[in-house]
Amino acid sequence: MSNGNEAPATWLSQEAHDRLQAELDELIANRPVIAAEINARREEGDLRENGGYHAAREEQSKAEGRILYLKELLRTAQVGEAPTADTVAPGMVVTIYFDDDKDDTERFLLGSREIASTTELTVYSPESAIGKAILGCRPGQTCTYTAPSGADIKVTVVAFEPFSG
């Protein structure tokens, strides 16, 4: 069934799923309000110089984009606890240290940026440079990635655990 080209599953806690579903429901319920605002602004006259009309249209565009994004995310997300693994995978809280300095540690969630609103942890995408570098690593394993600045950065995975939301 898997063709190997699929993105890693996005795992959401039930709480995060419910919060995103509520946001989606609110955005959909707000569609008539935005449409009424556009119609009211349209009746004000010349659309080329009507800032309120253009602002309402922009708000509608942003809301529709967010609706499409949330629908797809909620359609494809796995709800519950991410499966445990013996290597770093999306949905894990990872602790690393930089270079060979065991005192220079960072703890973060490897997962969807969407989940950032549900946690105080920094969130790195599995598609980010550091995310790609540590995927599949085991505790004690060292890997290197190229930062956006062009510098090669060496990190060692200390530990990881499933994100509990």
Side-chain angles (χ1 to χ4, degrees):
M1 186 191 290
S2 175
N3 62 12
N5 293 332
E6 295 146 11
T10 299
W11 286 91
L12 297 174
S13 66
Q14 188 64 53
E15 176 190 356
H17 181 275
D18 293 347
R19 186 168 43 256
L20 293 172
Q21 184 64 55
E23 180 186 348
L24 176 61
D25 294 345
E26 184 178 324
L27 285 167
I28 291 172
N30 200 36
R31 279 175 163 164
V33 174
I34 295 174
E37 176 73 14
I38 290 171
N39 286 335
R41 298 297 182 187
R42 183 181 292 125
E43 292 172 4
E44 291 175 356
D46 187 354
L47 297 182
R48 289 174 299 178
E49 297 179 13
N50 188 330
Y53 170 78
H54 294 292
R57 289 298 305 256
E58 187 174 325
E59 181 183 347
Q60 180 186 44
S61 177
K62 287 179 182 177
E64 290 302 317
R66 182 76 175 155
I67 287 170
L68 290 173
Y69 175 79
L70 288 174
K71 280 183 173 179
E72 182 63 13
L73 176 67
L74 292 169
R75 184 184 72 76
T76 59
Q78 301 287 330
V79 178
E81 298 301 319
T84 58
D86 58 356
T87 61
V88 174
M92 299 273 183
V93 176
V94 183
T95 304
I96 60 168
Y97 65 83
F98 294 91
D99 297 315
D100 293 316
D101 183 357
K102 293 184 179 182
D103 294 326
D104 185 10
T105 63
E106 184 174 0
R107 187 169 185 262
F108 58 88
L109 172 61
L110 186 64
S112 165
R113 295 266 181 220
E114 191 55 47
I115 205 159
S117 64
T118 70
T119 180
E120 296 295 316
L121 291 169
T122 299
V123 178
Y124 291 117
S125 164
E127 290 81 33
S128 68
I130 191 171
K132 287 179 184 176
I134 66 170
L135 277 174
C137 287
R138 298 177 186 281
Q141 190 171 349
T142 300
C143 54
T144 303
Y145 69 94
T146 302
S149 67
D152 285 337
I153 299 176
K154 185 168 81 170
V155 297
T156 302
V157 174
V158 176
F160 56 85
E161 63 195 61
F163 177 63
S164 60

